[in-house]
Amino acid sequence: MLKEEREAVKESYAGIEDGDVFFFYRPKTDNPESAHDIQSLQLVLHPLASRKFRLLILDTAVMPQRTETFNEITGRVDCVTDKEMVIRNRLKERFGETRGIATLEKPYSRICAEGVYSLVPHNNRMYLVYLLELPALPGNAQQVLGIRREDEFLVGVYNPLFGKSEEDLEREEVGAEEPRYPDQLQKTFNRGHITYDVHPELLDYENARFGLFRRGSKEARTHAADVGPMWEDFDTADIFRKLEMRKERIPIVSILEDLR
């Protein structure tokens, strides 16, 4: 997207946070053939008004279809940074060692879509709305992973202190897995298990747990038209420019063909 186009988009967006969304998937093997070979989906959110990148890892390999009874996707915030290199490193392959021999434990995460997103407030709740820019029409990869051309979700963030007593907190070691929110943000949970309040900053803490629920509002669906994709092509995609991902290093030809 050209700079002048992006500035025009900034002015027309109506969300409390708007930006780019990049979709990745982490396969279980180096040559995945179906959804059963996918370990997890990953989203990178990059707000237009910030250099910040959030890497979100979903607990599922496939987005649920609208017709499914189970309509929640859970996940965690893996990384929040203003450095593209940190995100790229998190997406890289991971090696282990077996009897002194290096073995591939986690293959490189693969690109599967790029789009724009908006966090929309409605009735004191926060919705995630996105529209794909690339590919313009979902191909095989997106269909297998359940990534629709456009979608909306109610966003909930789980209370890391739910069910914990003061004694529990005192016994926990510094640097525990759960995020530690400032008092003002922690109050938004109101001692409940989850909050749907309009606070995007709750997603700015690593290891924060969240849920995306298919309880879209009419307001959120209508807002999809305001998010409006600025159509990219393979040579101008933000995913290569912003994250400095090298085209020749994308592992799977079929994904490349879907993106073209």
Side-chain angles (χ1 to χ4, degrees), residues 32-52:
E33 297 180 355
S34 70
H36 296 292
D37 298 323
I38 306 303
Q39 178 178 320
S40 64
L41 286 175
Q42 299 164 313
L43 276 64
V44 175
L45 302 182
H46 178 49
L48 286 175
S50 168
R51 282 189 50 82
K52 173 173 57 188

Side-chain angles (χ1 to χ4, degrees), residues 14-217:
I16 52 173
E17 179 181 298
D18 311 291
D20 298 303
V21 56
F22 307 117
F23 291 81
F24 294 81
Y25 69 90
R26 173 89 71 179
K28 297 176 183 176
T29 67
D30 206 28
N31 296 296
E33 297 180 355
S34 70
H36 296 292
D37 298 323
I38 306 303
Q39 178 178 320
S40 64
L41 286 175
Q42 299 164 313
L43 276 64
V44 175
L45 302 182
H46 178 49
L48 286 175
S50 168
R51 282 189 50 82
K52 173 173 57 188
F53 293 89
R54 301 185 190 98
L55 174 59
L56 313 181
I57 298 181
L58 305 183
D59 297 329
T60 179
V62 179
M63 303 284 268
Q65 300 302 305
R66 291 181 183 234
T67 55
E68 292 181 5
T69 302
F70 181 77
N71 60 4
E72 176 190 5
I73 310 166
T74 56
R76 67 180 177 85
V77 179
D78 182 71
C79 180
V80 181
T81 179
D82 61 358
K83 296 178 174 60
E84 297 90 336
M85 183 182 297
V86 174
I87 297 295
R88 293 199 303 273
N89 286 338
R90 295 289 181 115
L91 297 172
K92 283 182 177 179
E93 62 267 66
R94 295 287 181 266
F95 292 92
E97 189 175 297
T98 303
R99 298 180 180 177
I101 300 175
T103 56
L104 182 64
E105 290 186 344
K106 290 184 178 181
Y108 206 110
S109 292
R110 289 100 192 271
I111 299 165
C112 54
E114 172 189 314
V116 287
Y117 80 93
S118 187
L119 294 176
V120 185
H122 181 63
N123 288 339
N124 296 319
R125 291 189 165 194
M126 184 167 66
Y127 293 84
L128 169 68
V129 177
Y130 79 78
L131 269 170
L132 294 188
E133 294 178 304
L134 188 65
L137 293 174
N140 291 336
Q142 293 75 40
Q143 290 173 9
V144 168
L145 299 172
I147 300 173
R148 300 168 56 88
R149 179 182 174 272
E150 61 181 77
D151 222 335
E152 71 282 332
F153 296 92
L154 173 64
V155 181
V157 181
Y158 290 96
N159 184 356
L161 303 186
F162 181 73
K164 294 184 178 181
S165 65
E166 292 294 333
E167 292 75 15
D168 292 334
L169 297 177
E170 289 176 3
R171 285 195 298 268
E172 286 186 353
E173 297 181 4
V174 176
E177 289 271 327
E178 293 85 357
R180 293 299 178 93
Y181 292 114
D183 290 344
Q184 195 61 33
L185 268 183
Q186 185 61 45
K187 288 178 182 178
T188 63
F189 292 100
N190 196 27
R191 297 188 179 183
H193 187 208
I194 190 171
T195 182
Y196 305 99
D197 286 357
V198 186
H199 292 286
E201 59 271 31
L202 288 171
L203 297 173
D204 289 339
Y205 291 79
E206 294 182 3
N207 294 314
R209 296 285 304 173
F210 63 87
L212 302 179
F213 302 86
R214 283 195 183 282
R215 297 177 187 170
S217 69

